[in-house]
Amino acid sequence: MPKRIDQLQADADADLKAVTSAEQLEAFRIKYLGSKGALKALMGLLKEVPKDQKREFGQRANALRQGLQESFEQRKQSLGGGAKPKAAGKPLLDVTEPGAPPRLGRQHIITQTVDELIEVFGRMGFDAVTGPEVEDEHHNFVALNIPQQHPARDPLDNFYLTDPDGENPLLMRSQTSTVQIRVMENTKPPIRIVSTGRVYRPDEHDATHYSMFHQIEGLYVDRNVSMVDLKTTLMQFAHAYWGPDADVKLVPSYFPFTEPSAELYVKIDLGKGEEWMEVGGCGMVDPAVFEAVGYDPEEWTGFAFGLGIERLAMRKYDIRDIRWLFENDVRFLRQF
Ligand code: DAH
């Protein structure tokens, strides 16, 4: 009889050692610890054991059952924790295994784009300046030659912060052209600056529109600046930023603060084949703007431009929906 117990112990040890999955472990449990298992059968033999040996047999059989139950629980835990089965008795934590590297954070793709734009224009001689997001009507409209009746001043198309009918009301700036005025108010020409930042418009959101976006404004004022300088600068920028193969064009347009004016377009695939996307406006600074800041329009000439930074990035990184940039889904943001 004691031999049977020893044999059962040896068999169970060997079987448990071979277990590498939850299924195998369950088979082990049924075979040894189940209601029709080997231990139940062993207990069944008790009545055949001679009376004087019953006590010892019972004790040993119980000890075996307890031992198997414990090893079973241990193995169950090690499998359940996802750890690979290790030789019995060894610690389950292998400190020599390489750790999971912490995931590094990164700058938002728009922040990265802003930095790159400042760098590209920096190489072309433009200094970076900033201006406030909360503006007054004078800098957002009046000094930029945008008259009271102009649709751009409609309170429904702007985020006014104070009564739009009050004197010089405040609003969230709708364009970075405000910074042109602020710089010229405080600086004598020549001037060569870019300014990046957020602008706000109550636009309906779609693949290319968002109620907050970023612009980069450029202003160049000197003697004898011409449209050729403007076109050269923008085309050089476009090819430096997007690469020599980018398809770009300037199309005549109208802005109250430039004359003549144009819009910059780039070819892009937003998912429905190639199409032209407008990325911003530009033109020769209107004499009325120079007068508003006290520059002599007979002496000074200049060009200006304002480009939508999200759209610049969309073309560069093949981003087909501006909304993705602000949903802050890390699976999207991690790509950049
Ligand atoms: N401020 C214009 C806009 O937001 C863009 C623009 C057009 C800026 C012409 C300029 C410019 O500096 O010269 O739509």
Side-chain angles (χ1 to χ4, degrees), residues 175 177 180 201 215 217 255 257-258 281-283 304-306:
Q175 50 185 356
S177 303
Q180 292 183 34
R201 295 176 193 179
Q215 286 186 326
E217 192 80 15
F255 297 99
F257 33 93
T258 44
C282 61
F305 57 86

Side-chain angles (χ1 to χ4, degrees), residues 78 81-87 89-100:
S78 63
K84 290 201 192 79
K86 300 270 159 66
K90 285 244 182 84
L92 291 166
L93 175 69
D94 180 354
V95 294
T96 65
E97 267 185 18

Side-chain angles (χ1 to χ4, degrees), residues 174-336:
S174 64
Q175 50 185 356
T176 46
S177 303
T178 53
V179 186
Q180 292 183 34
I181 303 303
R182 291 196 172 271
V183 169
M184 288 192 282
E185 278 173 346
N186 296 314
T187 330
K188 286 202 161 55
I191 286 172
R192 206 181 331 185
I193 57 99
V194 285
S195 186
T196 58
R198 296 188 181 97
V199 299
Y200 300 84
R201 295 176 193 179
D203 275 348
E204 223 36 82
H205 292 182
D206 63 23
T208 51
H209 293 86
Y210 210 76
S211 46
M212 182 283 301
F213 60 100
H214 296 69
Q215 286 186 326
I216 178 163
E217 192 80 15
L219 176 67
Y220 179 38
V221 181
D222 206 336
R223 294 187 174 89
N224 303 316
V225 179
S226 77
M227 194 80 187
V228 174
D229 300 313
L230 169 59
K231 186 166 179 183
T232 309
T233 302
L234 282 184
M235 290 302 158
Q236 259 182 21
F237 158 72
H239 291 127
Y241 184 63
W242 286 316
D245 297 333
D247 235 340
V248 287
K249 66 176 179 183
L250 276 177
V251 176
S253 185
Y254 172 80
F255 297 99
F257 33 93
T258 44
E259 182 59 35
S261 306
E263 280 176 331
L264 181 66
Y265 282 78
V266 66
K267 257 218 188 116
I268 186 171
D269 184 354
L270 293 170
K272 291 173 275 164
E274 296 234 297
E275 56 185 296
W276 289 106
M277 176 176 67
E278 188 244 311
V279 292
C282 61
M284 304 307 295
V285 179
D286 194 291
V289 174
F290 282 146
E291 270 161 19
V293 296
Y295 284 9
D296 179 0
E298 296 297 327
E299 183 176 5
W300 300 106
T301 47
F303 69 70
F305 57 86
L307 311 175
I309 291 178
E310 282 75 7
R311 291 188 183 182
L312 296 178
M314 286 169 76
R315 170 61 180 77
K316 179 151 180 143
Y317 300 104
D318 194 16
I319 298 167
R320 298 183 170 190
D321 197 311
I322 194 172
R323 291 166 289 197
W324 298 343
L325 291 165
F326 305 114
E327 280 169 2
N328 286 337
D329 184 332
V330 289
R331 291 169 303 178
F332 171 76
L333 296 176
R334 258 206 300 268
Q335 301 176 87
F336 306 104

